[in-house]
Amino acid sequence: MAAQQPHDLNCLTIAELERHAAQRMDKQTRDYYNEGADSGSTLLENSQAYSKYRIRPRVLRDISLIDTSCPLFGSRSPLPMGVAPTAMQCLAHPDGEAATARACRDAGVVMGLSSFATTTLEDVAAASGSNPRVLQLYLFEEREHSRKLIQRAKAAGYKAVFLTVDTPMLGRRNLEIRNQFKLPKPYKIANFTEDSDSAAAKTVMDGASSDTAGGERESKKSTSAPGHHDGKIRTPPAGPISFHTHAPNPTLCWERDIDWLRQQCKPEMEVWVKGIATGEDALLAVHHRVDGIVVSNHGGRQLNGALATLDALPEVVDAVRGAIPVHIDGGIRHGTEIFKALALGADFVWIGRPVLWGLAYNGQEGVELCLRLLRDEFKLCMGLAGTVKVPEITKDYLVKVDKSGFISRL
């Protein structure tokens, strides 16, 4: 990404990007990307939490050379910001995850890829070049599916696996239910088939095929079933892999699954857990030797009424005490909010929905615009706050504002 690029005069903020994207996406896609669980209160609070804090700028400091880089996966990232894994990006733009990967490559920004992408992890790796990337993983009850995916990610040079740990069950997403969401043709869940014509390639969210041309002769092999427990025996999900049937895994536990995942990933890939929201679980993550934590509530799409990620962050940071990196996602819409998250102890932030809005707005160029807006805002914030290096950003630069408008130092 060039240091100087002309402004897109139609889109100067992430808020404007969201509005442009809303006009370009169909209702099913717009609702799927933007909705939270139940009433959406946690989704809303993820963003509102940042307004509780104000920045305390320092002045008369030489800020003529600002370094926004930070350590990441054994090297340096030009920004303390990455693109979070989000599913089925071809819904936003036909180029989907490949366009996002190219934008990340050109910006030098790490990309997270969803297991339920509409582009294979190999194709995303090819589009990424040498740019770092991570694979978001749902650990399936039948581990062989996950083992194969991990081996492919290792062969394709992914730096880490981010295990999603906040989906033992799926949150209730009412618009998704009302819209009877299905993945339209010609798109497919690309990572779970070697044959683009197979039943698994055509599987949609609920395990039914989006292609009815095969009639009843295809019904058995193209229908998935969720796992269940009869009180004595747990029966795992069956049929082609789909999000609703296979992604939720109520059997996941620290003692068994983290050790298995480390055995599968090491030494080529790091193992992170995504979905930590308490100090107790942060300590367990350290105990089970994960390489890092992402404080996340799944974009407000799981437990409605859960803490906003920014509100959960200080507790997690205090528990970890620097033993492993702590990242955060959820609700970031401006570069000043990246600054606030870092000041509260995050080492790095991940951006989700704004990237999808950029993709819907203008494909690869729209993602580049999103990253550029956030980059420029963050660098400007660093300078105006009186900092020139990311490690200088501490809680000394923040105050908290209570509901009465009174401020307090942290």
Side-chain angles (χ1 to χ4, degrees):
M1 188 181 292
Q4 296 285 340
Q5 291 196 22
H7 292 294
D8 181 338
L9 299 182
N10 293 316
C11 188
L12 295 173
T13 67
I14 297 299
E16 290 182 352
L17 190 63
E18 180 180 9
R19 290 195 290 271
H20 286 304
Q23 296 172 357
R24 285 164 169 76
M25 292 186 286
D26 59 58
K27 183 179 187 302
Q28 174 183 261
T29 299
R30 185 170 59 249
D31 288 349
Y32 174 70
Y33 284 156
N34 291 342
E35 135 171 88
D38 291 301
S39 69
S41 62
T42 296
L43 169 66
L44 182 62
E45 288 170 7
N46 273 351
S47 296
Q48 290 179 336
Y50 286 89
S51 65
K52 300 175 185 177
Y53 297 91
R54 300 289 186 273
I55 297 169
R56 302 178 63 245
R58 300 295 305 277
V59 298
L60 291 177
R61 295 179 168 187
D62 183 351
I63 60 158
S64 57
L65 184 61
I66 298 174
D67 178 7
T68 61
S69 69
C70 69
L72 183 70
F73 305 131
S75 60
R76 299 290 295 181
S77 170
L79 290 165
M81 174 186 82
V83 169
T86 52
M88 296 179 286
Q89 293 184 13
C90 282
L91 290 171
H93 188 276
D95 293 342
E97 292 87 356
T100 301
R102 291 191 295 268
C104 289
R105 176 199 64 200
D106 292 349
V109 170
V110 63
M111 176 182 175
L113 179 70
S114 169
S115 290
F116 284 85
T118 40
T119 308
T120 67
L121 63 88
E122 290 87 358
D123 286 344
V124 168
S128 299
S130 61
N131 196 55
R133 52 203 171 270
V134 303
L135 175 68
Q136 175 274 333
L137 182 73
Y138 292 102
L139 186 52
F140 300 139
E141 290 188 56
E142 292 191 338
R143 289 181 177 176
E144 184 61 14
H145 296 305
S146 298
R147 188 194 67 79
K148 290 179 180 178
L149 197 63
I150 292 166
Q151 295 306 312
R152 288 169 56 193
K154 289 167 73 171
Y158 283 69
K159 295 291 188 181
V161 159
F162 279 20
L163 175 66
T164 292
V165 295
D166 57 5
T167 54
M169 304 169 69
L170 292 182
R172 184 178 178 89
R173 303 164 194 175
N174 291 319
L175 293 178
E176 189 176 308
I177 296 170
R178 180 171 292 120
N179 293 337
Q180 299 182 59
F181 177 86
K182 295 186 185 301
L183 183 60
K185 293 187 294 183
Y187 304 125
K188 60 185 183 292
I189 303 300
N191 282 319
F192 298 114
T193 178
E194 296 176 356
D195 178 0
S196 63
D197 292 325
S198 71
K202 299 170 183 174
T203 299
V204 296
M205 294 289 286
D206 58 2
S209 175
S210 61
D211 183 358
T212 59
E216 292 189 5
R217 71 177 183 272
E218 294 289 327
S219 62
K220 288 187 178 180
K221 71 177 184 179
S222 63
T223 300
S224 304
H228 63 277
H229 205 299
D230 65 5
K232 295 182 179 179
I233 299 174
R234 171 74 185 177
T235 300
I241 292 170
S242 77
F243 182 76
H244 282 157
T245 58
H246 288 69
N249 183 351
T251 72
L252 280 181
C253 68
W254 288 105
E255 292 75 17
R256 178 182 62 245
D257 295 308
I258 298 300
D259 288 345
W260 180 87
L261 189 57
R262 293 184 73 255
Q263 291 171 12
Q264 299 301 312
C265 293
K266 296 291 187 174
E268 294 89 346
M269 293 194 298
E270 296 184 5
V271 174
W272 288 55
V273 286
K274 177 179 176 291
I276 299 298
T278 65
E280 294 92 333
D281 281 336
L283 287 173
L284 284 168
V286 173
H287 175 74
H288 287 277
R289 297 183 295 164
V290 304
D291 296 295
I293 285 170
V294 182
V295 177
S296 176
N297 55 32
H298 216 95
R301 293 164 69 82
Q302 279 297 103
L303 176 60
N304 196 49
L307 280 172
T309 51
L310 192 72
D311 291 334
L313 176 64
E315 168 183 342
V316 172
V317 170
D318 288 346
V320 168
R321 295 187 179 276
I324 56 176
V326 175
H327 295 189
I328 186 174
D329 67 17
I332 293 172
R333 304 292 184 263
H334 195 276
T336 55
E337 294 167 353
I338 299 173
F339 186 96
K340 291 176 182 180
L342 299 181
L344 288 174
D347 296 296
F348 196 87
V349 307
W350 294 86
I351 310 298
R353 287 182 177 92
V355 172
L356 294 173
W357 300 334
L359 188 63
Y361 174 53
N362 197 19
Q364 177 182 342
E365 292 183 10
V367 177
E368 291 173 351
L369 173 62
C370 170
L371 299 177
R372 187 166 66 248
L373 289 172
L374 292 169
R375 178 202 65 185
D376 292 349
E377 291 165 354
F378 173 65
K379 186 174 182 180
L380 179 62
C381 180
M382 280 187 66
L384 292 178
T387 60
V388 295
K389 293 183 181 297
V390 169
E392 296 175 1
I393 304 171
T394 68
K395 63 182 180 181
D396 291 338
Y397 285 88
L398 293 186
V399 293
K400 191 170 187 178
V401 183
D402 66 19
K403 290 183 178 180
S404 301
F406 293 103
I407 63 171
S408 59
R409 294 285 299 273
L410 301 181

